[in-house]
Amino acid sequence: IQKLCDRVASSTLLDDRRDAVRALKSLSKKYRLEVGIQAMEHLIHVLQTDRSDSEIIGYALDTLYNIISNDLEEEEQEENLPKQVDDLGSQFTEIFIKQQENVTLLLTLVEEFDFHVRWPGVKLLTSLLKQQGPQVQQIILVSPMGVSRLMDLLADSREVIRNDGVLLLQQLTKSNAAIQKIVAFENAFERLLDIITEEGNSDGGIVVEDCLLLLQNLLKNNNSNQNFFKEGSYIQRMKPWFEVGDDNCGWSAQKVTNLHLMLQLVRVLVSPTNPPGATSSCQKAMFHCGLLQQLCTILMATGVPADILTETINTVSEVIRGCQMNQDYFASVNAPSNPPRPAIVVLLMSMVNERQPFVLRCAVLYCFQCFLYKNQKGQGEIVSTLLPSTIDATGNSVSAGQLLCGGLFSTDSLSNWCAAVALAHALQENATLKEQLLRVQLATSIGNPPVSLLQQCTNILSQGSKVQTRVGLLMLLCTWLSNCSIAVTHFLHNPANIPFLTGQIAENLGEEEQLVQGLCALLLGISIYYNDNSLENYRKEKLKQLIEKRIGRENFIEKLGFISKHELYSRAAQKPQPSFSSPDHMMFDHEFTKLVKELEGVISKAIYKSSEEDKKEEEVKKTLEQHDNIVTHYKKVIREQDQELEDLKQRINTLTSQNEQLQATVTQQMSQIQQHKDQYNLLKIQLGKDTQHHNSHGDTFQMNGIQMEDVSKLREELEEWKSKHEVLEGQLREKDSVIEKLRSSPLEMGTTEQSSQTNKSGGLEHSELQKELEMLRSQIQLQSAEISKLQMENQKLQVMTATADPVSGDSGATAANNSELQGRLEQEIKQLKSEVKALSEEKESLKQHLDSSSSTVAILQDEKSRLQQEVAESKKEQDDLLVLLADQDQKLSALKIKLKDLGVPVEDEDDIESGDQGGEDEDGDEEEQD
C-alpha cells in the first residue's frame, strides 16, 4: 500500500498513476483501514489534478467509497464488526469533509456526464451524507447551486444513476427544511411522480418505494412544501395509485410496501398535527378529485391484506376528520353485502369482535372517532339509533347504537373499553345528545323492568369488573356528565352512586387501582361542579362536606392528580390516533385527556370554594348563559339572513343568465329579420326590373308587393260578396215558400163580412210581399252585376300577374322577348370578340416595339459603361501626371537652394513672373503711345 501511494504521488506518467490507483481500489475493500490512513490524501490530490482522465477519477472515487462506506460484502460481515465499522466510516468521513473544498470538488465531479465519474461520485456523496448528514448538508447548502446540481440526477437517462440520485436526495433532505424547500421548488414533485407513473405506480419495484420515501421526506412537517404540493395539483395525481383491480389475490411484498408508503403519504398531507387550514384544504381536494372515494373502495374490497386494510382505515380516518363534507360522504358509503349495510356498521362489527386483530380494532376506533370529530350531525345519527322511537322493531338489521351497547356490556374488556370511548365521542361537546341519551332504556333480563343506560353503566362499575372495563365506563360517565346538569341530577338520583365513589376514593389500593380511584375522584368532582342543587340531599355544599369527612380535601386532590401523572395518560395526550403496544396499555383516549386538563384545576378550586362564592359563580353563569342565548339567537338570525341572501343571489344569477340568453335570441332574430328585409327588397327590385323588361304595358301596370296585397284583398271581398249572395238567395227561397203557402191555403169564412175583411187583409199582405220580393230581386241583380264585374277584374289581374311573373315563361310574348334578347346578346358578343381581337393585335405590335427599344437601351448602356471606363482611365493618367509634376517641382526647388548656397544667382519663379508681367505692361504702354 505504501509503495502504491508513493507511485500515485511521484509518478510522472499518467498510466503509472492510474495503475497504482486501480491497485489501491482492489485492496481498499479488504484493507480498508490501511488504505484509508495512507492513501486518502493522495486520492484527493488525484481528484484535484487529474480531472482530464475520467478513468483514474473513477478509480479514485471508487476507492474513497470503499473506505468511507459501511456497505461491506456479506462474507466479511461478522458479529463483532458492526460497531467498529460504523466508527471507521464516520471517522474517515470526518477527515474527508474537514476541507470543505473536497465536498465542493465532489459536487463538480457529479456534474460530469461520464458514467465512470458520475456514478461513483453519486455513491460517495450518498455515503458521506449517511455518515455525517448535517455537516455535509450544510456544506452543500452554502456551495453555489449545490442542491440544483444534484437535482439534475433525476433527469439522467441512465436508470442506475437516476435511481442512485433518488437515494442521494433521500439522505440530503433528511431533517433539513431549507434543503427540502429548495428541492421541492426545483420541480422535484413533478419528476418523482413521473418516475412513479413510469414504473407502474403501486405495481412498480423498489424505485417506486425510494421515490415515495423521498416524497415523505419533502412533505413531512414541512407546511410550505405541503402547500406547494396542493397548489401544484399533485394531489389529483395520487388517485391512480389506489386503483387496485377486483382481482386482489397475490399481492407481492413490494406492492404491499409501496401501497403502505402511498397511504402514509396521504396521511402526511392530512395529519392532525398540520395547521388546520392546510389540512382542511387538502381534505377538500382529496374529495373533489375522487381520492377519498377510491380509498373507500379499497376499504370495502375483499382480499386486501390485513396491514393494508388497517392503514387504509387510518388514512380514511384522517381524510374525513373534522371535514363535514367528507364525513357526510363516508356516512353514505355502503358495504357490498346483501342487503347493503353502512360502512360504519360493518367497521363497528369488526371493532367489537374479539377475534379481529388488535391493530385493526384500534384503527376502526380511530375511524369512528374521526367520523364524529366536530360532526354534530353524525353524532345525532349514532345516538338516534339508540333511542326508543328509532330502533328497528323487526330486528332485521343491526344499527351502530346496538353494536355499541353490545360491545359495552360484552365479556371482552377490550370491546367494553372501545365501545365506551366510541360512545363518549358521540356525546363530545353536545349537551343536547347527553340529555337525549338519558332516555335510552335497556332490557337486562326477561321479567325485570328496563334499566336506563346510565344506571346500567353504574351497575357494572359497582360489580368490580376488569380495570380496563371500569376505566372505559368512568371515561364515558365523565364525558356524559360534564357540562350537563340534567345528567348529573340523574346520576345523583341513584342513592348508591355517591357512597360507591367515596368508598372507592377513600380506600388505599394497589397501583393498578389508583387509576380507577383518580377517575372516581374526577367523576365526583364533576358531580359537584356541574350540580344545579335540584336534589336537596346532594347539594354542592353537602357533597363537599361529605368529601371533607370521608376522604379529606388534600387526599381527594392527590387522588385526582393520579390521572395526569400516569404514564399512559401522557402517551395518549400526544396524538389523536390510539396507538398502543398491547391491549393492556389501552387505558386513555386522546379527547378525554383534554377534558381532564380542562376540569382538573376547576374541580380543585370548586372543592375549596365557600357557598357564597358558589352563589356568585352561579349568578355569573346564569348571566353568561343569557348572554350566550342572545348571541345564539342573533347567530341564527344572521345565518337565516345569509341563507336568504344566497337564495336571492342565486335567483339574480339565474335571471341575469336568462336575460342574457333572451337578449342574445332577440339580437339573433333582429339580424334574421334584417336579412329577410334585405332579401325582400332585393327581390322587389329584381321583380320591378323584370316587369319593366318583359312587359310592354309597364306604364299602365307595375307589379309589386303592395299590388299583390290589393289582389288578395279583392279576392277576399269577392268571397264575401259571394257568401252574401248565397244568404240573400236563401232568404228569397224562404219568402217564395211563404207566398206559395198563402196561395194554396183554403180560407173558411163564417160570415160575408168576415170573408170580405179577410180578403182585404190578405190582399194587403200579398201586395206588401210582392213589393218586398221586387225589392229583393233588384238587390240580387245589382249584387250579381257587381260580382260579375269583380270576377272580370280578378281575371284581368290574374292575366297581368301571369305576364309579370318571371318564372311563368310559357306565354308567347315571353318567348318572343327571350329570342329578341338572345339575338341582341349574340350581336354584342360578336362585337366584343372583334374588339378583343383588335386589342390583342395592337398588344403584339406594342410588344415588338418594346423588344426593339429594350435592345437599343442595352446597346446604349454598353456604350455608356465603355465611355465611363475611358473617363476613369484618363482621370487616372491626369493624377499620375500631377504626381510627376509635383516631384519635379520639389527637385527644382532643391536644386535652386543648392545653387544659392554655392553663390550662383538664381531668380525665383515669382521674380521672373513679375518681370514678365512688367515687360508686358511696358510694351502695352508703348503701343498706346504709338
Side-chain angles (χ1 to χ4, degrees), residues 814-833:
T814 311
N817 285 338
N818 284 344
S819 61
E820 192 182 338
L821 273 168
Q822 203 167 355
R824 279 184 193 170
L825 282 166
E826 282 173 2
Q827 281 177 3
E828 283 178 9
I829 286 159
K830 281 176 185 175
Q831 196 177 346
L832 286 165
K833 276 181 180 175

Side-chain angles (χ1 to χ4, degrees), residues 9 353 899:
N353 183 352
L899 287 167

Side-chain angles (χ1 to χ4, degrees), residues 320 327 330-331 344 367-373 375 378 381-382:
I320 66 171
Q327 287 166 337
F330 185 68
I344 295 166
C367 187
F368 192 70
Q369 290 174 351
C370 289
F371 169 66
L372 297 175
Y373 182 71
N375 181 11
E381 285 169 0
I382 297 297

Side-chain angles (χ1 to χ4, degrees), residues 282-556:
C282 286
Q283 286 172 331
K284 285 172 185 171
M286 284 173 186
F287 175 76
H288 290 304
C289 76
L291 181 59
L292 174 60
Q293 293 83 326
Q294 205 65 50
L295 291 171
C296 289
T297 307
I298 297 174
L299 198 69
M300 293 292 119
T302 52
V304 179
D307 53 344
I308 291 294
L309 184 63
T310 305
E311 192 60 26
T312 306
I313 294 168
N314 286 328
T315 308
V316 169
S317 309
E318 290 183 356
V319 173
I320 66 171
R321 187 176 189 269
C323 180
Q324 189 66 54
M325 179 170 62
N326 293 5
Q327 287 166 337
D328 290 346
Y329 170 75
F330 185 68
S332 69
V333 174
N334 282 326
S337 58
N338 192 16
R341 284 177 174 163
I344 295 166
V345 171
V346 174
L347 289 171
L348 285 174
M349 287 167 87
S350 302
M351 187 183 80
V352 296
N353 183 352
E354 56 189 292
R355 288 193 296 275
Q356 291 291 348
F358 171 65
V359 185
L360 181 69
R361 293 173 78 182
C362 287
V364 173
L365 175 63
Y366 183 46
C367 187
F368 192 70
Q369 290 174 351
C370 289
F371 169 66
L372 297 175
Y373 182 71
K374 292 184 178 177
N375 181 11
Q376 293 200 340
K377 183 184 172 187
Q379 288 175 323
E381 285 169 0
I382 297 297
V383 171
S384 67
T385 58
L386 284 163
L387 298 176
S389 57
T390 54
I391 290 171
D392 186 7
T394 57
N396 290 337
S397 61
V398 182
S399 69
Q402 287 168 318
L403 285 168
L404 289 175
C405 278
L408 200 61
F409 308 122
S410 77
T411 52
D412 175 34
S413 62
L414 192 60
S415 295
N416 301 156
W417 190 91
C418 289
V421 168
L423 205 53
H425 275 263
L427 304 173
Q428 204 83 40
E429 296 176 5
N430 199 325
T432 314
L433 295 180
K434 288 175 183 177
E435 290 174 20
Q436 284 189 3
L437 203 65
L438 296 168
R439 291 165 47 205
V440 176
Q441 299 288 316
L442 303 169
T444 50
S445 56
I446 299 163
N448 291 338
V451 179
S452 72
L453 177 62
L454 187 70
Q455 181 64 49
Q456 186 64 16
C457 289
T458 53
N459 289 348
I460 294 167
L461 264 179
S462 59
Q463 284 165 12
S465 49
K466 287 182 182 177
V467 172
Q468 195 174 36
T469 304
R470 282 182 288 160
V471 168
L473 288 168
L474 284 164
M475 283 199 295
L476 170 60
L477 289 169
C478 288
T479 308
W480 193 348
L481 267 59
S482 64
N483 211 12
C484 184
S485 302
I486 298 168
V488 170
T489 307
H490 275 256
F491 179 74
L492 295 173
H493 209 273
N494 184 347
N497 288 343
I498 294 299
F500 168 73
L501 290 177
T502 50
Q504 284 284 316
I505 300 162
E507 282 183 36
N508 289 317
L509 302 166
E511 277 187 24
E512 281 188 2
E513 293 294 325
Q514 281 185 348
L515 193 53
V516 177
Q517 283 185 316
L519 288 166
C520 287
L522 181 68
L523 186 58
L524 185 55
I526 288 167
S527 303
I528 293 168
Y529 185 69
Y530 292 106
N531 191 341
D532 60 358
N533 295 328
S534 55
L535 294 172
E536 188 58 38
N537 294 335
Y538 296 106
R539 294 173 67 84
K540 279 186 182 182
E541 203 55 44
K542 286 189 176 180
L543 288 171
K544 284 180 194 176
Q545 287 169 6
L546 189 71
I547 288 170
E548 183 66 40
K549 284 177 187 175
R550 295 274 179 89
I551 306 160
R553 285 179 186 176
E554 287 77 13
N555 193 20
F556 177 84

Side-chain angles (χ1 to χ4, degrees), residues 664-677:
T665 311
V666 166
T667 311
Q668 196 179 351
Q669 287 177 351
M670 287 291 283
S671 67
Q672 283 178 359
I673 288 163
Q674 191 59 45
Q675 281 176 6
H676 290 144
K677 275 184 179 177

Side-chain angles (χ1 to χ4, degrees), residues 201-240:
N201 294 331
S202 59
D203 294 317
I206 197 160
V207 180
V208 172
E209 183 184 339
D210 292 336
C211 289
L212 290 166
L213 287 166
L214 177 51
L215 281 169
Q216 271 195 26
N217 280 1
L218 294 173
L219 291 170
K220 202 165 189 178
N221 302 323
N222 192 320
N223 300 329
S224 167
N225 280 5
Q226 285 173 9
N227 192 44
F228 181 61
F229 191 84
K230 180 185 71 69
E231 294 296 331
S233 300
Y234 296 118
I235 289 174
Q236 287 81 329
R237 290 187 63 179
M238 295 168 82
K239 189 197 169 192

